[in-house]
Amino acid sequence: MSSRRSRQSGSRISDDQIIELVSKLRQLLPEIRDRRPEKVSASKVLQETCNYIRSLHREVDDLSERLSQLLSTIDADSAEAAIIRSLIM
Amino acid sequence: MRSPSSLRQEFLKKWILGLQVCNSSKNMNVFERKKAIKLSADVAMASARNGKTCWSRALIVNASRNDNGKEFVEKILGSDYERQNKNSTMNRRTRCRKILKRSCTTIRKAMKRSTPSRPKVFAFSVAKKMIKKRTQLLKSVVPGGEFMDEVSLIEETLDYIISLRAQIDVMKSFANATEIENRKKDRQW
């Protein structure tokens, strides 16, 4: 995808590209979104990103567990169909 | 490009296919069902990207490695699975890995020859090591990360985070709706 782009600019990846992408990442991270850009290093952004992704993984895991317990207590087709219908509408 | 709500809808459509597979096998205990729900959610999330990102392709390839995952992949991706498989994802991955290994060894050899040993460079190299370490960590949490260069890694991470959030939103709504349905039913009794 963009590996071709980096090969064109030689072996060095443009600093501006990285700065732009890192700032986009910062916008997504709830922890450091509002802090001033000069105070947040790229290293910190990477670290926060890893932590954030891990916490998202944990949330998916918890939701899967919750859903597993909920779905095992309702009986077959009618209730599930009703739920799914209400979600799609 | 793709709005969060369209991403959620794509995910939901595909996840429902996976959940139908889950419900058809009735003798699962709570733990097995949880794994099935999570696996089908991940495959659905990845397939909603239609093979456009590296992380989604890597996730699907990893999921296809065991029987349960393969079932979800075939159900959710259907005919797309055959097509994407034909684009030789695995071959591309092995090729990418070889190219990456070769370029890493070349770069390492070049750096050994040209590294200056001045103190000014020291602080800079420490910062670089930190970033390298954090980048390695990031590569370990993003599916398929080990094959990406720095720029792709950040782009893929952005996409991956947005997809994860859409997945969580839908799963949360589904869980809340199921709970409400359950409570309604209990009151009827």
Side-chain angles (χ1 to χ4, degrees), chain B residues 62-171:
Chain B
N62 288 337
S64 317
R65 289 222 174 98
N66 64 51
D67 291 330
N68 296 335
K70 212 164 178 196
E71 202 181 353
F72 288 129
V73 171
E74 283 168 2
K75 184 79 198 278
I76 292 177
L77 277 138
S79 52
D80 291 349
Y81 176 60
E82 293 299 315
R83 184 170 41 85
Q84 278 179 28
N85 233 19
K86 279 197 181 113
N87 292 340
S88 60
T89 318
M90 284 307 285
N91 294 342
R92 217 189 294 154
R93 279 179 81 205
T94 7
R95 263 185 275 137
C96 285
R97 213 183 306 174
K98 290 188 182 153
I99 294 173
L100 203 62
K101 266 198 178 149
R102 240 183 286 143
S103 59
C104 281
T105 4
T106 329
I107 291 174
R108 241 180 276 139
K109 284 189 192 152
M111 285 196 70
K112 272 195 183 149
R113 273 183 256 131
S114 64
T115 311
S117 47
R118 283 178 239 139
K120 226 193 281 180
V121 178
F122 181 68
F124 184 60
S125 69
V126 166
K128 274 211 135 176
K129 275 200 188 132
M130 288 293 278
I131 294 194
K132 182 110 200 276
K133 201 170 109 177
R134 301 268 150 81
T135 311
Q136 287 302 106
L137 228 90
L138 187 57
K139 285 185 175 181
S140 70
V141 286
V142 174
E146 57 269 30
F147 307 117
M148 300 175 198
D149 62 86
E150 286 168 21
V151 174
S152 310
L153 178 64
I154 303 182
E155 285 176 344
E156 293 275 331
T157 306
L158 285 166
D159 195 271
Y160 184 51
I161 290 180
I162 293 174
S163 296
L164 275 173
R165 275 149 70 142
Q167 180 190 51
I168 287 175
D169 284 343
V170 174
M171 287 176 85

Side-chain angles (χ1 to χ4, degrees), chain B residues 166-179:
Chain B
Q167 180 190 51
I168 287 175
D169 284 343
V170 174
M171 287 176 85
K172 225 183 260 181
S173 309
F174 192 79
N176 292 337
T178 313
E179 232 166 44

Side-chain angles (χ1 to χ4, degrees), chain A residues 13 43 52 57 66 68 74, chain B residues 30 134 151 160 165 176 182:
Chain A
I13 298 165
S43 167
Y52 186 50
H57 284 167
R66 188 175 152 207
S68 171
I74 58 177
Chain B
V30 177
R134 301 268 150 81
V151 174
Y160 184 51
R165 275 149 70 142
N176 292 337
N182 277 3

Side-chain angles (χ1 to χ4, degrees), chain A residues 1-3 5-6 13 17-18 21-22 24-25 28-29 42-44 46-47 49-50 52-54 56-57 59-61 63-76 79-80 82-84 86-88, chain B residues 12 15-16 19 23 26 29-31 33-34 37-38 42 52 130-131 134-135 137-138 141-142 149-152 154-158 160-162 164-165 167-168 171-179 181-182 185:
Chain A
M1 199 177 55
S2 57
S3 51
R5 205 195 305 155
S6 58
I13 298 165
Q17 266 180 315
I18 295 198
L21 288 173
V22 168
K24 278 197 192 145
L25 256 182
L28 286 179
L29 304 177
S43 167
K44 180 81 178 165
L46 288 173
Q47 184 188 15
T49 309
C50 290
Y52 186 50
I53 291 182
R54 284 206 202 108
L56 289 177
H57 284 167
E59 205 170 341
V60 172
D61 205 69
L63 280 168
S64 303
E65 175 134 11
R66 188 175 152 207
L67 272 168
S68 171
Q69 286 169 350
L70 285 170
L71 288 176
S72 60
T73 57
I74 58 177
D75 55 66
E80 284 149 25
I83 295 165
I84 291 170
S86 66
L87 273 177
I88 301 177
Chain B
L12 181 60
W15 189 36
I16 286 178
L19 287 175
N23 290 328
K26 292 279 179 185
N29 61 35
V30 177
F31 180 65
R33 179 164 287 169
K34 169 201 165 181
I37 289 175
K38 185 164 178 207
D42 282 341
K52 293 205 186 93
M130 288 293 278
I131 294 194
R134 301 268 150 81
T135 311
L137 228 90
L138 187 57
V141 286
V142 174
D149 62 86
E150 286 168 21
V151 174
S152 310
I154 303 182
E155 285 176 344
E156 293 275 331
T157 306
L158 285 166
Y160 184 51
I161 290 180
I162 293 174
L164 275 173
R165 275 149 70 142
Q167 180 190 51
I168 287 175
M171 287 176 85
K172 225 183 260 181
S173 309
F174 192 79
N176 292 337
T178 313
E179 232 166 44
E181 279 297 311
N182 277 3
K185 273 190 68 210

